[in-house]
Amino acid sequence: MHTPDQCQNMAEIRAEIDRLDRQVIALLGQRFAYVKAASQFKTSETAVKAPDRFQAMLQQRRAWAEEEGLNGDAIEALYRDLVNHFIAEELKHWQRNSITKT
């Protein structure tokens, strides 16, 4: 592992970016596992969608991004797309589970 300042060429930089992207994707997989697990505690489609929580989460991610010197708009858009996808998947999971409980 090299820090950005330690990289001697583009190959090393690309290898480090790939390593980090792999970690980010693994973490997203872990996040998705929690999303699916959360569906068992939800009692309705509205609870799955949780619009107030969604907006609060976006604002928190924006703040975290800005603390890291990142563009808040870009990170908010990224999370909006990601979490909308996860909500759709959670809703499918919730619907399947609610059918089997009846």
Side-chain angles (χ1 to χ4, degrees):
M1 184 177 133
H2 296 94
T3 65
D5 293 337
Q6 293 171 330
C7 291
Q8 299 293 312
N9 54 53
M10 284 303 298
E12 288 181 1
I13 288 173
R14 288 179 179 141
E16 292 301 324
I17 289 171
D18 289 348
R19 182 184 61 76
L20 289 170
D21 284 348
R22 181 71 179 113
Q23 291 176 350
V24 168
I25 290 168
L27 289 170
L28 290 174
Q30 291 176 29
R31 188 186 196 287
F32 186 48
Y34 283 102
V35 168
K36 290 186 291 188
S39 70
Q40 68 185 314
F41 301 105
K42 310 266 177 99
T43 57
S44 68
E45 288 189 19
T46 301
V48 172
K49 294 177 182 176
D52 292 339
R53 163 70 181 141
F54 180 72
Q55 290 304 316
M57 179 275 306
L58 288 177
Q59 290 306 306
Q60 182 65 65
R61 299 326 178 256
R62 171 185 279 280
W64 290 344
E66 291 169 353
E67 288 171 11
E68 293 297 323
L70 298 171
N71 182 293
D73 290 339
I75 298 302
E76 183 177 336
L78 180 127
Y79 268 90
R80 184 179 303 279
D81 287 348
L82 176 70
V83 175
N84 275 325
H85 169 72
F86 281 175
I87 289 170
E89 292 299 313
E90 181 184 3
L91 190 55
K92 290 178 201 173
H93 192 75
W94 179 82
Q95 289 168 336
R96 279 193 304 272
N97 288 343
S98 67
I99 289 171
T100 59
K101 290 178 184 177
T102 57

